[in-house]
Amino acid sequence: MSSYYSVIHVLKKSNEGDVVNLRGWVYRLRWLGGKVFIVLRDHSGIIQCVVDKDEARRFGKEISELGIEASIIIGGTVRFDKRAPGGKEIKVTELRVVGVSNNFPIKGGEGIDYLLDNRHLWIRSRRLTSIFKVKHTMLKGLREYFSSNEWWEVTPPILTMSAVEGGATLFPVDFFGRKAYLSQSAQFYLETLIFSLEKVWSVTTSFRAERSRTRRHLYEYTHLEAEAAWMGMKEMMTVVEEMVKAGVKKILDERLDELETVKRDITKLEQVLSNRFDVITYDEAVELLREKGVKIEWGEDFGADEERVLTQQFDTPIFVTMFPRKIKSFYMKVSEDNPELVYGFDLLAPEGYGEIVGGSVREDKYDTLLNRIREEELNPKDYEWYLDLRKYGSVPHSGFGLGIERMLMWISGLDHIRDATPYPRFRDRLYP
Ligand code: NSS
């Protein structure tokens, strides 16, 4: 057997009677009236392969070795059959078992702990495969957005010496006898790069030692971040909106089958493309929440519950802007009109999903930034190089971070973020 076709190629392009070779894994297997029905799975899809009675006798040894998830090579002719999934099946004339699979540990109906222990095998599932394909396409759409709008992609470090988002969620590591940390955000490094490249972005892994375990927090997640010189808040919010729409559009263009597999209502996603994202201020959000019966004091941060109530009022993602200074990071620029507020913005995904982007205008004045660092009781020594950027050719600038798994969770309609990444880390389980 020489060249191989993918399942999707056979389903879409082959004609009745074509002779094809396929390779993949046994997805389903059953015997019926002397025939063997093998549903073969490869990266692109599934197809039914039928070993007729006579052939079944000829391939006795191979068939005896077949099991769910065994890897196989099949040769045969294409038959059109309305009853087969995809409308076509293969009449098998060649069969080879490459790797046996006796008693595959996942049979269906297992509990979540068992499945997480067997994540390395569970990731073969159609559901997870579909989610990872959506993730791929989402990243592709986002990347294309940046490429076609003259942003530079850069590669900041993961080993760092300082906190971007507060010390409480830092993971320490031993760096040759000195204490270093795993990055929470590439933001400060991106800020250093705008003085030469002006508009930069990156995808890195960020780490957060989150204290509570929730449906939308990972300890290790994929962080897309962007930073641009000369941009104010409005411009940066436009970037975020266009970028998110580019990601959603790419997925709707290319991943409808996968969205169907994960049972996502795509009309909800289509709405996102046809409307401008609403913008409300923190003050307005607090008012809206109170109208909905949520008890919240001005100055309190929104948690998952508040964000759920807020976003259920809208069909598209919404921006919340102008947050109280005391609940946001020290680097956010303080409002000229009201020193209690900062130029920060969050993008909240609809249908209750909540925050997927956090961004702001950065404080670009040396003295103000130094005061903010002191006010937060941080050590200015730790931020010397960051402060330097305000000494040598400072510019107004803004940036944001998008949680890729958060966005994927929303796009795919997941009720838990763990399935948005192949290997979610858990406090009590660093396995596999
Ligand atoms: O803490 S953020 O809101 N903002 C920053 O880290 C900025 N320094 C980013 C920047 O401006 N360059 O995190 C940004 C996003 C947030 O909106 C979430 O979507 C996601 O990162 N995020 C997370 N996703 C999954 N799990 C956890 N624990 C998590 N924390 C933040």
Side-chain angles (χ1 to χ4, degrees), residues 128-269:
L128 288 175
T129 305
S130 298
I131 294 169
F132 300 149
K133 285 183 180 175
V134 173
K135 193 176 195 177
H136 160 92
T137 302
M138 190 173 107
L139 283 164
K140 180 165 107 176
L142 300 172
R143 178 167 274 115
E144 279 176 12
Y145 171 80
F146 285 111
S147 297
S148 52
N149 287 282
E150 301 176 315
W151 290 74
W152 298 101
E153 183 170 4
V154 296
T155 58
I158 299 300
L159 287 170
T160 70
M161 298 306 291
S162 50
V164 179
E165 296 299 333
T169 61
L170 281 174
F171 278 112
V173 286
D174 177 76
F175 190 72
F176 302 109
R178 282 163 70 204
K179 201 168 184 181
Y181 303 98
L182 296 176
S183 171
Q184 299 167 314
S185 162
Q187 178 188 325
F188 293 175
Y189 294 109
L190 295 187
E191 285 189 58
T192 64
L193 286 157
I194 61 159
F195 296 86
S196 49
L197 296 168
E198 295 197 25
K199 297 199 305 187
V200 296
W201 72 287
S202 61
V203 177
T204 56
T205 304
S206 278
F207 299 84
R208 305 273 169 113
E210 303 284 356
R211 273 158 298 174
S212 53
R213 191 170 159 169
T214 77
R215 290 173 175 276
R216 58 180 202 162
H217 285 93
L218 292 165
Y219 299 119
E220 183 181 20
Y221 71 96
T222 314
H223 206 172
L224 187 159
E225 294 175 271
E227 195 74 31
W230 313 112
M231 276 197 194
M233 194 156 81
K234 275 227 169 70
E235 285 168 282
M236 197 47 88
M237 284 161 61
T238 302
V239 169
V240 169
E241 176 166 348
E242 287 176 356
M243 173 199 71
V244 166
K245 284 179 169 169
V248 173
K249 179 164 189 319
K250 190 58 88 198
I251 291 162
L252 287 174
D253 286 347
E254 297 185 4
R255 295 274 81 84
L256 288 184
D257 288 351
E258 287 76 10
L259 290 176
E260 195 184 320
T261 303
V262 299
K263 302 194 175 68
R264 182 60 163 129
D265 176 0
I266 61 157
T267 57
K268 293 254 163 57
L269 300 177

Side-chain angles (χ1 to χ4, degrees), residues 17 28 66 96 104 148 176 204 244 251 253 276 319 321 336 340 396 426 431:
R28 261 187 243 126
L66 286 177
R96 213 174 94 207
F104 189 68
S148 52
F176 302 109
T204 56
V244 166
I251 291 162
D253 286 347
R276 280 306 301 262
F319 284 107
T321 63
E336 289 102 9
E340 288 310 308
F426 295 98
Y431 172 91

